[in-house]
Amino acid sequence: MSHSLDVAAVKADFPILDREVHGGRLIYLDSANTSQKPRAVLAAMEHYYANSNANVHRGTYLIAEEATNALEEARAKVARFIGAPASQEVVFTKNATESLNLVAKAWGRANLRAGDVVVLTELEHHANIVPWHQLHDELGIELRWLPITADGHLDLTEVDRIIDGAKVVSFAATSNVLGTMLPVRRLVDAAHQAGAIAVVDASQHVPHAATNVAAWGADFVAFTGHKMLGPTGIGVLWGTSEILEATPPFLSGGEMILNVTKEGFTTNDIPWKFEAGTPAIAEAIGLGAAVDYLEGLGMDAVREHEVSLTGYALRTLAERFGEDLCVHGPADAAERGGVMSFTFKNLHPHDLTQVFDQHGVCVRAGHHCAKPLMRVLGVAATARASLYVYNDEADVDALADAIAAAADFFSF
Amino acid sequence: MPGLEDLYREIILDHYRSPRNRGELPVPPATRVEGFNPLCGDEIVIFLSVANGAVEDIRIGGQGCSISQSSASMMSAVVKDKTVAEVHRLTNAFKAMMSIHVGGDDHGDALPDPDVKLGDLEALQGVVKFPVRIKCATLSWNTLAQAIDEAMASEDP
Ligand SMILES: Cc1ncc(COP(=O)(O)O)c(C=O)c1O
């Protein structure tokens, strides 16, 4: 069932899009950084605090039971949304960074030794690099890097050779800089062929396209709530029951235990064994509401909208600025997410986005937490415009006008 | 609301378009130090030669935005032939203009000297109204301070 997105109706669901900045409309093109939140998410969190606020898994009274049910219901929604075979495979964390740290620090420390190989790609976010660097320093593991091609795709020619003998293959499903969508199933299979576990950083995928972790066949999948219309402070690590059972806890304290004595402790069942301390209850409920909202739109419609708007943006920028503007990454909108990193003439991205700000256009400038990729691209920084469900052609036109204004201002 | 003209004064754009003292110096005898702005990925490389307690020569490399590049360019022009003590006074005066409190450093001059003339560098005053850009403007100065420390350390027997 495919129905297209009514963007005007979607826009109306996001209160922040009504505000003015610098005397004009707010044009938000930084959703790869964090997304805006629909009224339904704000309402769900407020409703929880106003009606059922209590600690979870502890109270024996009505509102504590309501709070616990709401938290677990949110977990079930997330599980269904990503095609997880079981709810208890969904671990709530603070964000994708914590999810990836859990994999590296808890699974990695228990299973990796000096000389073991972890394979990453050149387009990873620092969240999927630095924890592994730490394991290199701590345990002496080695890192190998899957290269990218000049047009921003993953170079598949030597994948099997590079992965051969590895213990972990950890990669982004969609690049937060180039928008490149990686062949997840192909990489998972290659990892398993080599006897490695496959870890997918789906932070830029889950918000934008239908996701089925079981169909991917991965061992771990990490993503973050605030990029998918949910609040900050809530992230997810999905893992197969098998691998989660076999992984020792990461943080420890309350909630994650079955029993504690003076002599020691036994851990709780999954997923709670990974959720030490009072969880982000309201945030989890907010994430559940975000999932409801996205399901209401339909993830196929979301993806269709983004492909079409990305295509419009690539055409518009090419028509208006020609060779002066270079968009990194795949040229075909159908092969990418709605993330466009670009450089314009020899204007520095930071100067570009300063001018954009005066026009109400919110675009990120910098290295986007992917410095190794920046080096591969041969740039210090890019400007990055990213699209989501509430963006339309008028937003893209406003971006193009802001680029023209910057060119004018600096008269390059 | 501060406008773009407050930030991008003509002299800044001039230094950005034609940066002074771009290039490298042979290392050694010169000292090479890199500075990074973690916010935006700007990288600056300073090549510094210090002789008899004064800046004998300086070259700037790396890439960055107009604010960091022009600040580095103006800095390179103003510190040449200055003694290390004078450079410290300039640095303090510049940071004070950026609303950065410089007190209690180990060079004895906690308060910026009102007699220190910043010259062209005063064009960067507008940066204060755009707080995220202050790091861009101070990147080269922090890197220079490190270069001076390293150069002095290797000068002392
Ligand atoms: C691909 C990717 N991985 C990981 C992260 C980290 O997300 P968070 O900062 O929410 O932990 C991000 C977002 O910045 C991202 O784009």
Side-chain angles (χ1 to χ4, degrees), chain A residues 32-33 95-98 100 125 127 172 174 176 201 203-204 224 226-227:
Chain A
N33 204 349
N95 49 35
T97 303
E98 186 184 317
L100 291 163
H125 187 280
T174 302
N176 68 313
D201 174 1
S203 301
Q204 299 289 349
T224 200
H226 67 93
K227 294 186 202 287

Side-chain angles (χ1 to χ4, degrees), chain A residues 22 348 351 354 367 381 410, chain B residues 1 8 17 38 42 66 130 133:
Chain A
H22 304 314
H348 192 278
D351 292 318
Q354 189 84 55
H367 54 62
F410 291 102
Chain B
M1 183 187 76
Y8 296 111
R17 292 186 187 116
D42 284 1
S66 60
F130 298 81
R133 304 304 291 269

Side-chain angles (χ1 to χ4, degrees), chain A residues 323-405:
Chain A
E323 307 252 292
D324 287 342
L325 190 138
C326 164
V327 180
H328 297 281
D332 183 353
E335 292 178 358
R336 58 183 299 150
V339 174
M340 284 162 291
S341 276
F342 59 94
T343 42
F344 180 66
K345 296 193 181 179
N346 53 356
L347 256 179
H348 192 278
H350 213 163
D351 292 318
L352 264 182
T353 57
Q354 189 84 55
V355 178
F356 293 178
D357 179 48
Q358 301 283 314
H359 295 259
V361 175
C362 308
V363 162
R364 181 170 173 190
H367 54 62
H368 316 296
C369 302
K371 286 194 84 171
L373 175 59
M374 292 288 129
R375 182 143 294 189
V376 170
L377 296 175
V379 295
T382 68
R384 180 187 70 180
S386 49
L387 308 169
Y388 206 9
V389 290
Y390 35 68
N391 292 122
D392 57 13
E393 294 186 356
D395 295 337
V396 171
D397 293 341
L399 170 67
D401 291 344
I403 296 171

Side-chain angles (χ1 to χ4, degrees), chain A residues 41 69 166 379:
Chain A
V41 167
N69 290 344
V379 295

